[in-house]
Amino acid sequence: MLDAASSFISENFLTLKKRPNDRTIVKVGHVSIGGEKAVVIAGPCSVESKEQVIETALAVKRSGAAILRGGAYKPRTSPYDFQGLGLEGLKLLKEAGDRAELPIVTEVMSEEDLPIVCDYADMIQIGARNMQNFALLKKIAKIRKPVLLKRGLSATIKEWLLAAEYILQGGNERVVLCERGIRTFDNSLRNTLDLAGVALVKELSHLPVIVDPSHATGKRSLITPTAKAAIAVGADGIIVEVHPQPEKALSDSAQQIDFNEFENMMQSLKKPLRELL
Amino acid sequence: MLDAASSFISENFLTLKKRPNDRTIVKVGHVSIGGEKAVVIAGPCSVESKEQVIETALAVKRSGAAILRGGAYKPRTSPYDFQGLGLEGLKLLKEAGDRAELPIVTEVMSEEDLPIVCDYADMIQIGARNMQNFALLKKIAKIRKPVLLKRGLSATIKEWLLAAEYILQGGNERVVLCERGIRTFDNSLRNTLDLAGVALVKELSHLPVIVDPSHATGKRSLITPTAKAAIAVGADGIIVEVHPQPEKALSDSAQQIDFNEFENMMQSLKKPLRELL
Amino acid sequence: MLDAASSFISENFLTLKKRPNDRTIVKVGHVSIGGEKAVVIAGPCSVESKEQVIETALAVKRSGAAILRGGAYKPRTSPYDFQGLGLEGLKLLKEAGDRAELPIVTEVMSEEDLPIVCDYADMIQIGARNMQNFALLKKIAKIRKPVLLKRGLSATIKEWLLAAEYILQGGNERVVLCERGIRTFDNSLRNTLDLAGVALVKELSHLPVIVDPSHATGKRSLITPTAKAAIAVGADGIIVEVHPQPEKALSDSAQQIDFNEFENMMQSLKKPLRELL
Amino acid sequence: MLDAASSFISENFLTLKKRPNDRTIVKVGHVSIGGEKAVVIAGPCSVESKEQVIETALAVKRSGAAILRGGAYKPRTSPYDFQGLGLEGLKLLKEAGDRAELPIVTEVMSEEDLPIVCDYADMIQIGARNMQNFALLKKIAKIRKPVLLKRGLSATIKEWLLAAEYILQGGNERVVLCERGIRTFDNSLRNTLDLAGVALVKELSHLPVIVDPSHATGKRSLITPTAKAAIAVGADGIIVEVHPQPEKALSDSAQQIDFNEFENMMQSLKKPLRELL
């Protein structure tokens, strides 16, 4: 329960508790995460082709996204699934970011790939499956790039914060946390989005926290309501998967939205909340 | 996954699928749940004394609550915990509702108690632990009162809707669903609030859905952000535990808020969402 | 974690801790549960017809079962599923028990049905979904029949023992616990069989504990290995679903075994464990 | 549910389904895992000192262990916990294995460390937190050492088998699976031991499967009953943590057993099962 969690944090977290009244703001290029306004990160699940990623970059920029996302190295449950374009994907993502004037974030899966990913990306993502890849966390702690640390599928709040602590105490204080749904008994949706956990993490740490409604729900029609709820609960932003033709995507087809749906989501985020009776 | 859930619903739910384009509005006294505006239900976890419940009723009314809640028959994990005031609690709750001019909702735990609870309450609550008490559901289907059906601690969306279906197909169509947190591996908080599940249930059924941030989080400071997220995700209202002196409450002390905190929460629900970058 | 559980038990359980060095033996008819030897309870999921239940009773008796099980009142997730034969089923089960000279155990789902079920059954089962139906537990505490208390789908060890405590402290000390699988993220099988939990409960309480491999796995081919593991971990017996023609069963078809498979299981339980290298 | 799992396996697993009627036997030094007899692997959680590991190696050998385990590189939730002796630990483990004439198994956490670990170890362990570290799996697929692949904390049976498939299809067919408890809602014990999952995996694949009762339960007194249940359910062996003075261990103190307890466990594994009534 929470009291145990709180005392655990205050006893154990050396770096996280450094600044009790001061929130960290992480700069990615010219974009601030954790400041007064919420940030929207958007882009395709996987980089698939030059046209796909450039077209998407320009579209999400037009609708108001501040950072471009896209996967080049893809963690896939099966070795027979599409594994990403690798270095070629990195280059295409970088080109798209430059064209749209958006900083880029992409996942690194391997200690070995870290230097090359750092050459191209403005922000490095640690995926859910690597949240406790401690060898990778220790290496990430030594680089000079901001890090997007996704919560593991079955990571408790404590474990997530301690994974961040590996990076912070190792020397890299530019960490943004990302809630992307946890694994529970209910498989009605891809995962269970833990928005109360987001509010709790905002209390327990000074780090920015964003939310990934795409992986959390796995379902197109739920992206907008859950994105709005994320902002309402206090998240510092969202990261959303957008694809020119989601039904033809090489990965995560069911959860990517098209340009029109993304524009509608952005409009919806600006509308006021439903009135009370 | 969801496609299975959707086809399951369309194949199996006879009553729930009756009205595909039409949302149900449930009237509790003069209050409509499921209409244009969101409803706030508030009151103590347990009815403890005349002063406590009347004072609370007047306070939550003043801040904008539309329905009064309060427990007379209490489901408690241990037989040695406070079990509620029973009939005496029912009477006090009714008196408080009358004084504040608020309809009242309270839990029934036993088939035997159902007639007496119906004599006093405007809306009958089925608690999480009784969501699959099928004998009770079948009896509830025969009464002429609206029902608040809480989701079971480990109920899937399908099971929750099928529990509602027991009531609907038995003849009582005045069902409001209530998400109150599910049980997962993470015990940082009392439960895990499943707000994406709320959005999904709104898609799959025509019934109103409300959210209980008190039981979902078990933590006072998280009530306001999660209540706001509930409205943002599309819930038709919230149900919140309020107590004159939460630290002295006979049950659920850590999650009840005082009158001042409740007023602040109501104000917060009216404020616009954080702006985007 | 466990230390917390242990101290919780010693502080809170008044009745369960009464006899620290003494294990309870529960007599059902002439059969002792919790003594030196392990008991096998067997029979159909649902009583479907006179022939079915009598034929099954005689077959399981022949192979060595000591108690006959069978459902007359069935808890079903959907109101459109077969709900059991009710009183007619009770009578048939009793007749089959008499013919095979086996005591019978059957589930009660409703406070109202309790007297009639007590008229026929030698042991009363509280199903997983009613483990925290406190109104029913309080009534069960007042009867003079042994009780088989199944663990709830998402009940912790503490909650399960406290449900037993409702019965014990209310005056009925003849409680046998039954582990039947818990609900987890993994839906490869119907439930997740928690055999370490069985060993833990045997440490924390003096009550007998049996295991239900049928509901735990939901899969015919796994009944024998998990039944054997249950005995190995220290369970005082098993309860197994047996049907003359499982593929034609009105409920739980995939997990019922036929007479031949039951006989093979019984033989397998008598064979020695695999040797070590 | 299982039917989906089975069809999934037969459609997707290219390497795992190669030999439907033929079970794989993995040789580690002179020891066969997956053959007629069950194997016992034992040793300390962490290698702490020369005396500790040699003394333990000789003791577990004397009682019948066939392989020595010990951690040199330790995955720890917190960066402030003991991280293992690294290369020095590897050397000590190797020396202890030589002295006791036991092959050794130890965990690798980093792609970078793989060559050095291969220089010393007879079998390479992939820990639960790295089960989906796909970069590491792809490298492990290219080495010529047997692999002990632990199940992830929240890995489904499918995901576990697909992680094995990464290694098999990459060219290394010497994979032994290890169930070590999964993460569920119940924190009465460290994890929930999924023995039915072991039986299921034995059906779905031709690979040997062993069980780790130490991590599964986290509790000394439950090691023996769960080890016995593991053999009963069909596991090809167990892996157990043993320490000269568990209460002084630098990691996992509560779950390590001493030499005397280990000897008692080995004796218990040879005793027949409890008789049936």
Side-chain angles (χ1 to χ4, degrees):
Chain A
M1 292 294 296
L2 190 81
D3 292 333
S6 299
S7 73
F8 177 86
I9 301 296
S10 59
E11 283 161 26
N12 290 278
F13 284 51
L14 302 191
T15 314
L16 276 174
K17 71 174 179 181
K18 249 194 217 157
R19 294 177 290 189
N21 301 311
D22 194 18
R23 299 209 66 80
T24 287
I25 293 179
V26 173
K27 293 278 276 186
V28 181
H30 57 286
V31 180
S32 294
I33 307 181
E36 201 185 332
K37 296 185 178 180
V39 66
V40 177
I41 304 174
C45 175
S46 299
V47 175
E48 297 171 3
S49 72
K50 187 168 170 172
E51 300 69 42
Q52 174 239 20
V53 66
I54 290 179
E55 200 188 340
T56 306
L58 295 171
V60 301
K61 165 83 174 196
R62 208 158 45 229
S63 292
I67 300 177
L68 177 66
R69 64 147 287 151
Y73 301 91
K74 299 296 302 172
R76 302 306 300 271
T77 300
S78 165
Y80 306 112
D81 286 341
F82 173 59
Q83 306 275 313
L85 296 183
L87 176 56
E88 179 59 21
L90 267 186
K91 289 178 182 173
L92 294 175
L93 184 67
K94 171 79 176 136
E95 187 179 340
D98 288 347
R99 288 277 284 275
E101 292 179 26
L102 292 173
I104 61 175
V105 57
T106 197
E107 177 168 355
V108 66
M109 288 173 58
S110 161
E111 304 159 54
E112 238 174 49
D113 297 335
L114 188 55
I116 191 85
V117 176
C118 284
D119 282 350
Y120 290 92
D122 299 294
M123 182 180 214
I124 309 296
Q125 178 182 312
I126 303 289
R129 283 162 192 77
N130 280 314
M131 192 202 83
Q132 289 192 318
N133 179 342
F134 299 114
L136 187 57
L137 294 180
K138 286 177 180 176
K139 284 220 162 50
I140 287 279
K142 299 303 177 197
I143 65 168
R144 299 182 150 274
K145 294 271 182 180
V147 178
L148 185 63
L149 179 65
K150 290 203 154 187
R151 180 177 181 184
L153 274 74
S154 65
T156 62
I157 297 291
K158 280 187 209 174
E159 289 169 340
W160 189 19
L161 289 175
L162 280 167
E165 185 75 5
Y166 265 94
I167 304 172
L168 295 174
Q169 68 98 29
N172 185 344
E173 302 214 340
R174 298 164 72 192
V175 175
V176 175
L177 301 166
C178 179
E179 157 65 24
R180 42 77 73 207
I182 55 173
R183 181 163 278 187
T184 71
F185 67 86
D186 191 6
N187 62 353
S188 308
L189 294 171
R190 182 167 176 177
N191 291 291
T192 297
L193 177 57
D194 182 14
L195 288 182
V198 170
L200 177 59
V201 164
K202 295 275 294 185
E203 265 191 24
L204 293 175
S205 94
H206 56 79
L207 296 173
V209 188
I210 68 168
V211 167
D212 175 346
S214 307
H215 285 88
T217 66
K219 183 169 162 59
R220 201 165 296 144
S221 63
L222 301 184
I223 305 300
T224 292
T226 51
K228 195 157 185 171
I231 302 300
V233 95
D236 297 293
I238 54 170
I239 179 167
V240 179
E241 291 188 346
V242 179
H243 192 283
Q245 293 175 283
E247 65 288 356
K248 297 195 178 165
L250 297 182
S251 56
D252 285 354
S253 167
Q255 76 195 30
Q256 301 201 60
I257 54 177
D258 67 22
F259 302 159
N260 194 39
E261 290 165 321
F262 181 69
E263 170 63 22
N264 289 342
M265 183 202 80
M266 294 297 281
Q267 292 307 323
S268 175
L269 293 180
K270 295 168 191 164
K271 283 187 198 145
L273 282 184
R274 190 172 174 183
E275 269 180 68
L276 300 184
L277 203 66
Chain B
M1 292 295 298
L2 189 79
D3 291 333
S6 299
S7 73
F8 176 86
I9 300 298
S10 59
E11 284 161 26
N12 290 278
F13 285 51
L14 303 191
T15 313
L16 275 176
K17 71 175 178 179
K18 249 195 222 156
R19 295 176 288 188
N21 301 310
D22 194 17
R23 301 209 64 82
T24 287
I25 293 178
V26 173
K27 293 278 276 185
V28 181
H30 56 287
V31 180
S32 295
I33 308 182
E36 201 185 333
K37 295 185 179 181
V39 68
V40 177
I41 305 174
C45 175
S46 299
V47 176
E48 298 171 2
S49 72
K50 186 167 172 174
E51 300 71 39
Q52 174 238 20
V53 66
I54 290 180
E55 199 186 342
T56 306
L58 295 171
V60 300
K61 166 81 172 197
R62 207 158 44 228
S63 293
I67 299 177
L68 178 65
R69 63 147 287 150
Y73 301 90
K74 299 297 300 174
R76 301 308 299 272
T77 301
S78 166
Y80 306 112
D81 287 341
F82 174 59
Q83 306 276 317
L85 296 183
L87 177 56
E88 178 60 20
L90 268 186
K91 290 179 180 171
L92 294 175
L93 184 67
K94 171 78 175 138
E95 187 179 342
D98 288 347
R99 288 276 283 274
E101 292 179 29
L102 293 172
I104 61 176
V105 57
T106 197
E107 179 167 355
V108 66
M109 288 173 58
S110 162
E111 303 159 56
E112 239 176 49
D113 297 335
L114 187 55
I116 189 85
V117 176
C118 284
D119 283 349
Y120 289 92
D122 300 292
M123 184 181 213
I124 309 296
Q125 178 181 312
I126 302 289
R129 283 163 193 76
N130 280 314
M131 192 202 82
Q132 290 191 317
N133 179 341
F134 299 114
L136 187 57
L137 295 180
K138 286 176 180 175
K139 286 221 160 49
I140 287 279
K142 298 304 176 199
I143 65 169
R144 298 180 153 276
K145 294 271 182 181
V147 178
L148 185 62
L149 179 66
K150 289 205 155 188
R151 181 178 181 183
L153 274 75
S154 65
T156 62
I157 297 292
K158 280 186 207 175
E159 290 169 341
W160 188 19
L161 289 175
L162 281 167
E165 186 73 4
Y166 265 94
I167 304 172
L168 295 174
Q169 69 99 28
N172 185 345
E173 302 214 340
R174 297 164 72 192
V175 176
V176 175
L177 300 167
C178 180
E179 157 65 24
R180 43 77 74 209
I182 55 173
R183 181 163 279 187
T184 71
F185 68 86
D186 191 6
N187 63 353
S188 309
L189 296 171
R190 183 168 176 177
N191 291 292
T192 298
L193 177 58
D194 182 15
L195 288 181
V198 170
L200 178 58
V201 164
K202 295 275 295 184
E203 265 190 24
L204 294 175
S205 93
H206 55 78
L207 296 173
V209 188
I210 69 168
V211 168
D212 176 346
S214 306
H215 285 88
T217 66
K219 183 169 163 59
R220 200 166 296 144
S221 63
L222 301 185
I223 306 300
T224 293
T226 51
K228 194 157 186 171
I231 302 300
V233 96
D236 297 295
I238 54 170
I239 179 166
V240 179
E241 290 188 347
V242 179
H243 191 284
Q245 294 174 282
E247 65 288 357
K248 297 196 178 163
L250 296 182
S251 56
D252 285 355
S253 167
Q255 77 195 29
Q256 300 201 60
I257 54 177
D258 66 22
F259 301 160
N260 194 39
E261 290 166 320
F262 181 69
E263 170 63 22
N264 288 343
M265 183 202 79
M266 294 297 281
Q267 292 308 323
S268 176
L269 292 180
K270 294 167 192 165
K271 283 186 197 145
L273 282 184
R274 189 170 173 184
E275 270 179 67
L276 300 184
L277 203 67
Chain C
M1 291 294 298
L2 190 81
D3 292 332
S6 298
S7 73
F8 177 85
I9 300 298
S10 59
E11 284 161 26
N12 291 278
F13 285 51
L14 303 191
T15 313
L16 275 176
K17 71 173 180 180
K18 249 195 218 155
R19 295 177 289 188
N21 302 310
D22 195 19
R23 300 209 66 81
T24 287
I25 293 179
V26 173
K27 294 277 275 184
V28 181
H30 56 287
V31 180
S32 294
I33 308 182
E36 200 185 334
K37 296 184 178 181
V39 68
V40 176
I41 305 174
C45 175
S46 300
V47 176
E48 298 170 2
S49 72
K50 186 167 172 173
E51 301 70 41
Q52 174 240 19
V53 67
I54 290 179
E55 199 187 341
T56 306
L58 295 170
V60 300
K61 166 82 172 195
R62 208 157 46 229
S63 293
I67 299 176
L68 177 65
R69 63 147 287 151
Y73 301 91
K74 299 296 300 173
R76 302 307 299 271
T77 301
S78 165
Y80 306 111
D81 287 339
F82 173 60
Q83 306 275 316
L85 296 182
L87 177 55
E88 179 60 19
L90 267 185
K91 290 178 181 172
L92 294 175
L93 183 67
K94 171 81 175 137
E95 187 178 342
D98 288 347
R99 288 278 283 276
E101 293 179 27
L102 293 173
I104 61 174
V105 57
T106 197
E107 178 166 355
V108 67
M109 288 173 58
S110 161
E111 303 159 55
E112 239 176 48
D113 297 334
L114 188 56
I116 190 85
V117 176
C118 284
D119 282 350
Y120 290 92
D122 299 292
M123 183 181 213
I124 309 296
Q125 178 181 312
I126 303 289
R129 284 163 191 75
N130 280 315
M131 192 201 83
Q132 290 191 318
N133 179 341
F134 299 114
L136 187 57
L137 294 180
K138 286 176 180 175
K139 284 220 161 49
I140 287 280
K142 299 303 177 200
I143 65 169
R144 298 181 152 274
K145 293 272 182 181
V147 178
L148 186 62
L149 179 66
K150 290 205 155 188
R151 181 178 180 182
L153 275 74
S154 66
T156 62
I157 297 292
K158 281 187 209 174
E159 290 169 340
W160 189 19
L161 289 175
L162 281 167
E165 185 73 5
Y166 264 95
I167 304 173
L168 295 174
Q169 69 98 28
N172 185 345
E173 302 213 340
R174 297 164 73 192
V175 175
V176 175
L177 301 167
C178 179
E179 157 65 24
R180 42 76 73 209
I182 55 173
R183 181 163 278 187
T184 71
F185 67 86
D186 191 6
N187 63 353
S188 309
L189 295 171
R190 183 167 175 177
N191 291 292
T192 298
L193 177 57
D194 182 14
L195 288 182
V198 170
L200 178 59
V201 164
K202 295 274 295 184
E203 265 190 25
L204 294 175
S205 93
H206 56 79
L207 296 173
V209 187
I210 68 168
V211 167
D212 176 346
S214 307
H215 285 88
T217 65
K219 183 169 162 60
R220 202 166 295 144
S221 63
L222 301 185
I223 306 300
T224 293
T226 51
K228 195 157 185 171
I231 303 300
V233 96
D236 296 294
I238 54 171
I239 179 166
V240 179
E241 291 187 347
V242 179
H243 192 283
Q245 293 174 284
E247 65 288 357
K248 297 196 178 164
L250 297 182
S251 55
D252 285 354
S253 167
Q255 77 195 30
Q256 301 202 60
I257 55 177
D258 65 22
F259 302 160
N260 194 39
E261 290 166 321
F262 182 69
E263 170 64 22
N264 289 342
M265 183 203 79
M266 294 298 281
Q267 291 308 322
S268 176
L269 292 180
K270 294 167 191 165
K271 284 187 197 144
L273 281 183
R274 188 172 175 184
E275 270 179 66
L276 300 184
L277 201 67
Chain D
M1 292 292 297
L2 190 80
D3 291 333
S6 299
S7 73
F8 177 85
I9 300 296
S10 59
E11 284 161 26
N12 290 279
F13 284 52
L14 302 190
T15 313
L16 276 175
K17 72 173 178 180
K18 249 193 217 155
R19 294 176 291 187
N21 301 311
D22 194 18
R23 300 208 66 81
T24 287
I25 293 179
V26 173
K27 294 278 275 187
V28 181
H30 56 286
V31 180
S32 294
I33 308 181
E36 202 185 330
K37 297 185 178 180
V39 67
V40 177
I41 305 174
C45 176
S46 299
V47 176
E48 297 171 3
S49 72
K50 187 167 171 174
E51 299 70 41
Q52 174 240 19
V53 67
I54 290 180
E55 199 186 342
T56 305
L58 295 170
V60 301
K61 166 82 172 196
R62 209 157 45 228
S63 293
I67 299 176
L68 177 65
R69 63 147 288 151
Y73 300 90
K74 300 296 301 172
R76 302 307 300 274
T77 301
S78 165
Y80 306 111
D81 287 340
F82 173 58
Q83 305 276 315
L85 295 183
L87 176 56
E88 179 59 22
L90 267 187
K91 290 178 181 172
L92 294 175
L93 184 67
K94 170 79 176 138
E95 187 179 340
D98 288 347
R99 288 275 285 274
E101 293 179 26
L102 292 173
I104 61 175
V105 57
T106 197
E107 178 168 355
V108 66
M109 289 173 59
S110 161
E111 303 159 56
E112 239 175 49
D113 298 334
L114 187 55
I116 190 85
V117 176
C118 284
D119 283 350
Y120 289 92
D122 299 294
M123 183 181 214
I124 310 296
Q125 177 181 312
I126 302 289
R129 283 164 191 76
N130 280 314
M131 192 202 82
Q132 290 191 318
N133 179 341
F134 299 114
L136 186 57
L137 295 179
K138 286 177 180 175
K139 284 219 161 53
I140 286 280
K142 299 304 178 197
I143 65 168
R144 298 181 152 275
K145 295 270 182 181
V147 178
L148 185 63
L149 180 65
K150 290 204 154 187
R151 180 177 181 184
L153 275 75
S154 66
T156 62
I157 297 292
K158 280 186 209 174
E159 289 169 340
W160 189 19
L161 289 174
L162 281 167
E165 185 74 5
Y166 265 94
I167 304 172
L168 295 174
Q169 69 97 29
N172 185 344
E173 302 212 341
R174 298 164 73 192
V175 175
V176 175
L177 300 167
C178 179
E179 157 64 24
R180 42 77 72 207
I182 55 174
R183 182 163 277 186
T184 71
F185 68 85
D186 191 6
N187 61 354
S188 308
L189 295 172
R190 182 166 176 177
N191 290 291
T192 297
L193 176 58
D194 182 15
L195 288 182
V198 170
L200 178 59
V201 164
K202 296 275 294 185
E203 266 190 24
L204 293 175
S205 93
H206 56 78
L207 296 174
V209 187
I210 68 168
V211 167
D212 176 346
S214 306
H215 285 87
T217 66
K219 181 168 162 61
R220 201 165 295 144
S221 63
L222 301 184
I223 306 299
T224 293
T226 51
K228 195 157 186 171
I231 302 299
V233 96
D236 297 295
I238 54 170
I239 179 166
V240 179
E241 289 187 347
V242 179
H243 191 283
Q245 293 175 283
E247 65 287 358
K248 297 195 177 165
L250 297 182
S251 56
D252 284 354
S253 167
Q255 77 194 32
Q256 301 202 60
I257 55 177
D258 65 24
F259 302 159
N260 194 40
E261 290 166 321
F262 182 68
E263 171 63 22
N264 289 342
M265 182 202 79
M266 293 297 281
Q267 292 307 323
S268 176
L269 292 180
K270 295 167 191 165
K271 284 186 198 145
L273 282 183
R274 189 171 174 183
E275 269 179 70
L276 300 184
L277 204 66

